[in-house]
């Protein structure tokens, strides 16, 4: 049997770049820096090459002119000028070989620790050479290179500052547009970008202004559509109230029997639906105000469970807490959750109070996927069960009004779980709750 251990595999997902590298500002800064460096390098190379060629050319002409004088003195049998001679020491071997081959040439090398320009020509099988000091030319080239590098860094810094300022202005407007879009998505339909470039039609608009204007137009159209739907729902519910009241009174006058019971049951169902529609229309306008007070959570939940008229088990976990909430709205939310659990799930239905969190769980098939992903939708139910999908919609709206958070999940071992998180009271521990004050 082989005892080799499996090799560890490299996971590329473990090497993720930081989140800030995805920002447009960072990408623009990198792009500007790279382009500035490339441009500076290209211009630096061109200037360095041109100046070096010119400097070396001048030094070479000077060395060849001196070599001509040395050659004339050698041919005339005169004494050679200083720093000249046949096969002088320090002459580079490449230039010596070139002269031995019958050609003239120049080369730059170090001689006694100083840059030197050598020039050599053939002379009776030897190399007649002379040298001139190349230090000043070398310093000129080195100074030019330093100036190129310094000016390039200065240009890159100035370009980064100017580019960063310009990009930041654009990204700030984009962030503002994104914030407004998130506010609209959260339900604030009055939110607008109001970019000043879109207020004046004669003013040229850039791409950010076009996006901001399109978002404002979309928000206005969406607001008009939702307001129309809200008014329609409220008007329908109000118009149905009067005939339903008369129909309910007339149903009470019917002779006792099964037909009378069926009519009265349908009338009660229609009245309940009408009241739910009115409540939803009030919640949609977002004008509802919560009547907040401090309450002991566990006893309040137990009273709601006992008043529901159904079999509900209440489980307490953790120490008792007090919450700041609207008692009437909380009873409405818990009542709807309990009713939904019995109507669409299977027993047992369990209410768990753990700190400021109340969990309502049944043991049925769980919530549909659309509900856990995007929340409840009115007039949408699945599985063929009775109902209009308004109970959970009302529970969600009431939870929002009283500052609570309602989440719908499915338990790992089956069943639907509705978790309501209430704002915990931050007052002094010795203060008695209102429910127990004398």
């Amino acid at each position: 049997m082989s005892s080799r251990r499996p090799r560890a595999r490299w996971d590329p997902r473990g090497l993720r770049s930081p989140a800030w590298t995805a920002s447009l500002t960072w990408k623009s800064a990198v792009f500007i820096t790279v382009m500035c460096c490339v441009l500076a390098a290209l211009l630096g190379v061109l200037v360095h090459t041109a100046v070096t060629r010119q400097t070396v050319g001048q030094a070479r002409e000077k060395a060849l002119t001196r070599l001509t004088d040395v050659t004339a003195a050698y041919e005339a049998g005169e004494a050679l000028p200083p720093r000249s001679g046949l096969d002088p020491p320090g002459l580079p071997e490449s230039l010596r070989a070139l002269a031995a081959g019958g050609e003239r040439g120049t080369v730059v090398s170090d001689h006694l620790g100083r840059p030197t320009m050598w020039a050599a020509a053939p002379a009776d099988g030897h190399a007649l050479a002379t040298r001139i000091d190349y230090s000043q030319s070398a310093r000129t080239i080195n100074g030019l290179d330093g100036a190129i590098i310094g000016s390039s860094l200065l240009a890159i810094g100035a370009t980064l500052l100017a580019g960063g300022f310009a990009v930041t202005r654009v990204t700030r407007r984009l962030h503002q547009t994104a914030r407004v879009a998130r506010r609209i998505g959260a339900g604030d339909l009055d939110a607008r970008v109001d970019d000043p470039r879109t207020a004046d039609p004669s003013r040229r608009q850039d791409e950010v202004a076009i996006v901001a204007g399109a978002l404002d137009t979309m928000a206005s159209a969406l607001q008009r559509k939702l307001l129309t739907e809200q008014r329609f729902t409220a008007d329908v519910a109000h118009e149905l109230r009067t005939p339903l009241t008369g129909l309910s009174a007339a149903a009470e006058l019917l002779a006792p029997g099964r037909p009378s019971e069926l009519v009265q049951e349908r009338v009660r169902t229609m009245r309940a639906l009408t009241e739910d529609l009115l409540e939803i229309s009030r919640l949609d306008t977002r004008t509802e105000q919560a009547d907040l007070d401090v309450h002991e959570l566990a006893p309040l939940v137990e009273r709601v469970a006992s008043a529901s008229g159904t079999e509900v088990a209440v489980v307490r976990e953790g120490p008792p807490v007090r919450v700041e909430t609207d008692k009437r709205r909380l009873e409405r939310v818990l009542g709807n959750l309990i009713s939904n659990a019995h109507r669409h799930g299977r027993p047992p239905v369990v209410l768990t109070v753990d700190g400021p969190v109340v969990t309502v769980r049944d043991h049925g098939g769980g919530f549909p996927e659309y509900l856990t992903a995007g929340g409840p939708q009115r007039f949408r139910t699945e599985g063929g069960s009775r109902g209009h999908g308004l109970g959970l919609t009302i529970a969600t709206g009431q939870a929002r009004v009283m500052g609570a958070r309602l989440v719908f999940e499915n338990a790992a071992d089956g069943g639907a779980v509705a978790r309501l998180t209430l704002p915990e009271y931050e007052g002094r521990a010795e203060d008695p709750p209102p429910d127990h004050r004398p």
Side-chain angles (χ1 to χ4, degrees):
M1 180 180 297
S2 174
S3 60
R4 291 188 304 174
R5 296 180 180 178
R7 295 181 178 177
R9 296 184 178 180
W10 176 72
D11 186 5
R13 295 176 297 178
L15 299 176
R16 293 183 178 179
S17 57
W20 56 267
T21 59
S23 66
L24 181 60
T25 303
W26 186 85
K27 292 180 179 178
S28 301
V30 172
F31 176 77
I32 293 174
T33 303
V34 171
M35 293 305 298
C36 287
C37 291
V38 171
L39 183 60
L42 180 61
L43 292 178
V45 169
L46 292 176
V47 173
H48 171 82
T49 301
V51 174
T52 301
R53 182 182 295 113
Q54 181 181 4
T55 303
V56 172
Q58 292 175 353
R60 187 172 183 272
E61 290 180 3
K62 183 177 179 181
L64 290 176
T65 301
R66 182 178 175 82
L67 180 62
T68 301
D69 296 339
V70 171
T71 302
Y74 175 79
E75 292 176 350
E78 298 176 357
L80 297 180
R83 299 187 298 276
S84 303
L86 288 174
D87 297 327
L91 180 65
E93 291 299 328
S94 58
L95 186 58
R96 188 189 304 274
L98 182 67
E103 297 184 9
R104 298 175 58 179
T106 59
V107 71
V108 177
S109 67
D110 286 338
H111 180 69
L112 301 178
R114 298 174 63 88
T116 302
M117 170 71 76
W118 288 91
D124 301 328
H126 297 279
L128 179 62
T130 186
R131 57 185 173 85
I132 62 174
D133 188 15
Y134 190 71
S135 300
Q136 182 62 37
S137 300
R139 284 194 294 269
T140 300
I141 295 175
N142 292 335
L144 175 66
D145 292 341
I148 292 175
I149 294 175
S151 60
S152 298
L153 293 177
L154 183 62
I156 291 173
T159 306
L160 274 177
L161 290 177
F165 175 75
V167 172
T168 302
R169 292 187 61 187
V170 175
T171 55
R172 188 184 301 116
R173 294 167 59 198
L174 288 175
H175 285 306
Q176 171 66 14
T177 304
R179 283 193 295 269
V180 172
R182 284 192 289 268
R183 289 173 55 190
I184 294 173
D188 184 7
L189 298 182
D190 293 325
R192 297 292 185 273
V193 180
D194 290 331
D195 194 302
R197 292 166 179 77
T198 62
D200 186 4
S202 62
R203 187 175 181 180
R204 292 184 179 273
Q205 299 183 9
D206 56 9
E207 287 77 3
V208 180
I210 293 174
V211 173
L215 179 63
D216 288 347
T217 302
M218 180 200 69
S220 299
L222 181 62
Q223 187 178 37
R224 288 194 298 269
K225 181 179 179 181
L226 290 180
L227 290 177
T228 302
E229 293 180 355
Q230 291 170 8
R231 284 195 297 267
F232 175 77
T233 302
D235 292 343
V236 168
H238 279 290
E239 293 297 329
L240 286 176
R241 254 184 162 182
T242 301
L244 282 176
T245 302
L247 184 60
S248 177
E252 297 292 336
L253 301 177
L254 294 176
R258 182 59 180 165
S260 175
E261 294 177 357
L262 291 176
V263 172
Q264 293 177 6
E265 180 186 358
R266 297 305 179 189
V267 170
R268 285 193 295 270
T269 301
M270 292 186 65
R271 292 192 66 176
L273 176 60
T274 302
E275 295 300 326
D276 287 345
L277 289 175
L278 284 173
E279 186 172 358
I280 287 178
S281 66
R282 291 193 298 268
L283 293 172
D284 284 342
T285 58
R286 296 181 179 269
T287 58
E288 293 282 281
Q289 298 293 328
D291 184 13
L292 299 179
D293 207 342
V294 181
H295 301 276
E296 192 80 29
L297 181 59
L300 182 58
V301 172
E302 291 175 347
R303 287 196 297 269
V304 174
S306 61
S308 66
T310 58
E311 294 185 5
V312 181
V314 179
V315 179
R316 293 191 183 189
E317 295 181 357
V321 298
R322 289 179 292 172
V323 294
E324 190 173 10
T325 187
D326 188 323
K327 180 180 178 182
R328 180 183 64 84
R329 297 182 190 276
L330 178 59
E331 292 174 349
R332 175 67 159 151
V333 172
L334 294 179
N336 282 13
L337 295 178
I338 294 172
S339 174
N340 182 82
H342 280 285
R343 181 178 300 175
H344 301 286
R346 288 196 300 268
V349 176
V350 181
L351 266 72
T352 304
V353 182
D354 184 5
V357 180
V358 181
T359 302
V360 181
R361 178 185 176 181
D362 61 56
H363 291 75
F367 290 120
E369 184 178 354
Y370 80 87
L371 195 146
T372 57
Q377 300 177 16
R378 63 193 71 174
F379 297 108
R380 178 173 180 179
T381 58
E382 294 188 0
S385 56
R386 294 180 301 168
H388 305 282
L390 300 182
L392 296 183
T393 304
I394 293 174
T396 302
Q398 294 288 12
R400 183 185 65 248
V401 171
M402 61 184 184
R405 181 171 179 263
L406 182 58
V407 178
F408 301 97
E409 301 171 341
N410 288 323
D413 54 349
V417 178
R419 182 174 291 103
L420 179 67
T421 304
L422 297 162
E424 188 172 356
Y425 178 60
E426 300 293 342
R428 295 180 300 174
E430 61 270 15
D431 290 343
D435 298 342
H436 294 80
R437 289 174 186 170

